């Protein structure tokens, strides 16, 4: 069965719909979401509804819990804080409850999923170096760990206790290897590529691939501006930063 793994949707409905369309064309049957459904974008409710419609297994991101008040947003930048406050006014009680009840990790026999790192997931660390990658590898019992949070797609591989970067797009999972796959961001990529990012994982074929798809960026930008959200949140979408 093919899995579609998405993360950091951040209220960008146009990007989410494009990614779902691309996943369906690729034969994805089951969806997983590594956190941050909301924050930054103008369609937090609609994105939650889509994730529910997909029956996606979903875990908590720092923005999801920032909106519900479960984590402090004191260290969020001003634009992110403004988006959190705006989002709080958009969501229904049920939607707030859904976000608040998300767990920090999810696992099955094929994969484990977390927003930041498996080591102290509640601290929402950014997995950006080999030391943090090693800590997460150490805690893995599955061949692959999917995560997000940095909005930069990246694949790490561990083989015989050595941790390295792998090809950023594609990996064949061999028996003596484990992988950490940062799937990048659906709704606000930050790797200089404006295309929505996501991953497709086929546990039977032992293959994982990071994919990109175009979407109606202008429409998403207009909605952000019309909502009165900070202009920078619209601007950054077209440059992927
Ligand atoms: Zn995020």
């Amino acid at each position: 069965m093919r899995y579609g793994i998405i993360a950091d949707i951040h209220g960008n409905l146009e990007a989410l719909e494009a990614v779902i369309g691309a996943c369906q064309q690729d034969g994805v049957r089951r969806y997983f979401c590594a956190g941050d459904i909301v924050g930054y974008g103008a369609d937090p409710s609609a994105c939650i509804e889509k994730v529910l419609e997909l029956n996606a297994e979903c875990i908590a991101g720092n923005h999801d819990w920032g909106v519900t008040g479960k984590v402090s947003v004191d260290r969020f930048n001003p634009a992110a804080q403004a988006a959190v406050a705006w989002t709080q006014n958009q969501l229904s009680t049920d939607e707030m409850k859904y976000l608040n009840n998300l767990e920090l990790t999810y696992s099955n026999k094929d994969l484990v999923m977390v927003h930041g790192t498996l080591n102290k997931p509640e601290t929402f660390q950014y997995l950006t170096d080999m030391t943090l990658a090693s800590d997460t590898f150490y805690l893995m019992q599955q061949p692959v760990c999917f995560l997000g949070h940095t909005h930069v797609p990246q694949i790490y591989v561990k083989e015989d206790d050595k941790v390295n970067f792998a090809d950023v797009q594609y990996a064949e999972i061999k028996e003596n290897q484990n992988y950490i796959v940062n799937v990048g961001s659906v709704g606000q990529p930050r790797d200089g590529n404006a295309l929505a990012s996501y991953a497709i994982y086929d546990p039977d074929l032992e293959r994982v691939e990071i994919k990109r798809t175009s979407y109606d960026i202008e429409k998403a930008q207009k909605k952000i501006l019309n909502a009165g959200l900070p202009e920078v949140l619209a601007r950054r979408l077209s440059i992927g930063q």
Side-chain angles (χ1 to χ4, degrees), residues 62-80:
N62 53 324
H63 285 254
D64 303 319
W65 279 5
V67 163
T68 69
K70 210 164 175 171
V71 298
S72 164
V73 296
D74 288 352
R75 284 163 70 188
F76 282 26
N77 66 49

Side-chain angles (χ1 to χ4, degrees), residues 114-136:
V114 68
H115 191 58
T117 56
L118 279 182
N119 184 27
K120 299 190 188 143
E122 71 283 1
T123 60
F124 296 104
Q125 296 180 89
Y126 293 92
L127 199 159
T128 50
D129 64 42
M130 294 302 171
T131 309
L132 290 170
S134 295
D135 292 347
T136 282

Side-chain angles (χ1 to χ4, degrees), residues 36-209:
D36 276 1
I37 306 174
V38 303
Y40 301 132
D43 281 307
S45 275
C47 288
I48 293 173
E49 299 313 318
K50 277 271 167 226
V51 168
L52 288 170
E53 241 171 65
L54 291 174
N55 232 333
E57 297 289 353
C58 191
I59 51 152
N62 53 324
H63 285 254
D64 303 319
W65 279 5
V67 163
T68 69
K70 210 164 175 171
V71 298
S72 164
V73 296
D74 288 352
R75 284 163 70 188
F76 282 26
N77 66 49
Q81 285 189 11
V84 164
W86 180 87
T87 303
Q88 284 167 338
N89 286 321
Q90 305 298 312
L91 299 184
S92 69
T93 313
D94 281 353
E95 288 161 351
M96 283 289 229
K97 220 182 262 174
Y98 170 72
L99 294 182
N100 209 44
N101 288 338
L102 292 172
E103 305 277 344
L104 283 166
T105 59
Y106 166 88
S107 62
N108 63 27
K109 69 176 179 30
D110 299 318
L111 66 93
V112 58
M113 185 167 67
V114 68
H115 191 58
T117 56
L118 279 182
N119 184 27
K120 299 190 188 143
E122 71 283 1
T123 60
F124 296 104
Q125 296 180 89
Y126 293 92
L127 199 159
T128 50
D129 64 42
M130 294 302 171
T131 309
L132 290 170
S134 295
D135 292 347
T136 282
F137 275 124
Y138 181 73
L139 295 166
M140 283 167 62
Q141 269 132 40
Q142 295 78 4
V144 193
C145 174
F146 289 97
L147 45 83
H149 198 28
T150 66
H151 299 208
V152 175
Q154 187 81 69
I155 304 182
Y156 297 85
V157 57
K158 181 174 132 260
E159 187 169 2
D160 306 328
D161 285 331
K162 280 202 194 87
V163 177
N164 269 305
F165 288 115
D167 182 286
V168 73
Q169 283 177 341
Y170 185 77
E172 298 269 359
I173 298 147
K174 305 199 181 85
E175 216 164 287
N176 57 338
Q177 295 176 331
N178 295 83
Y179 284 85
I180 295 171
V181 179
N182 188 321
V183 302
S185 171
V186 169
Q188 197 194 85
R190 293 180 192 159
D191 61 335
N193 178 348
L195 302 178
S197 183
Y198 62 102
I200 290 189
Y201 173 39
D202 194 322
D204 303 322
L205 300 175
E206 299 176 316
R207 211 160 57 188
V208 61
E209 194 174 357

